[in-house]
């Protein structure tokens, strides 16, 4: 094993340790608090929306017209109907656009 491969292994191990430490540290910090401050609670409540945005935004911008149109259709349906219907309509929209229009 050469030095470059060894450095890569060390980097992966260090990244794993850093990830584990931040997750455990956050858990320990929150469990030690008797009362979570309102600003911290608001920040924690915003995390799911932030993660969803980081997953959806690149696909919307770089996925092509079919993906962007199906996301807009799914969003409109999602405002009114259940998640299952939203996913089904979004899937049908992207398949229809891909097979009929593109």
């Amino acid at each position: 094993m050469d030095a470059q491969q060894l450095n890569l292994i060390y980097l992966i191990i260090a990244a794993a340790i850093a990830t584990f430490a931040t997750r455990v540290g956050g858990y320990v910090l929150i469990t030690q608090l008797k009362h979570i401050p309102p600003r911290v609670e608001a920040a924690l409540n915003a995390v799911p929306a932030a993660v969803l945005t980081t997953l959806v935004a690149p696909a919307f911008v770089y996925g092509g017209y079919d993906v962007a149109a199906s996301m807009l259709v799914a969003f409109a349906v999602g405002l009114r109907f259940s998640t299952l219907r939203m996913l089904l309509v979004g899937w049908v929209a992207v398949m229809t656009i891909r097979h009929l229009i593109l």
Side-chain angles (χ1 to χ4, degrees):
M1 193 177 311
D2 66 344
Q4 188 176 8
Q5 288 177 333
L6 197 57
N7 285 339
L8 180 62
I9 291 172
Y10 289 149
L11 178 65
I12 292 171
I13 291 170
I17 291 170
T19 301
F20 181 76
T22 55
R23 290 182 182 207
V24 169
Y27 175 76
V28 169
L29 179 68
I30 291 295
T31 57
Q32 297 300 316
L33 295 174
K34 294 185 192 293
H35 174 70
I36 298 175
R39 294 184 98 180
V40 173
E41 187 173 355
L44 291 174
N45 287 335
V47 168
V51 170
L52 182 62
T53 302
T54 61
L55 296 174
V56 170
F60 184 82
V61 173
Y62 300 113
Y65 294 112
D66 56 338
V67 176
S70 65
M71 284 185 179
L72 290 173
V73 169
F75 176 73
V77 171
L79 291 175
R80 183 93 177 151
F81 298 104
S82 67
T83 304
L84 184 59
R85 285 186 185 173
M86 177 191 66
L87 292 173
L88 180 64
V89 169
W91 178 77
V92 168
V94 77
M95 289 297 120
T96 302
I97 293 170
R98 285 182 181 172
H99 291 288
L100 295 179
I101 297 173
L102 295 178

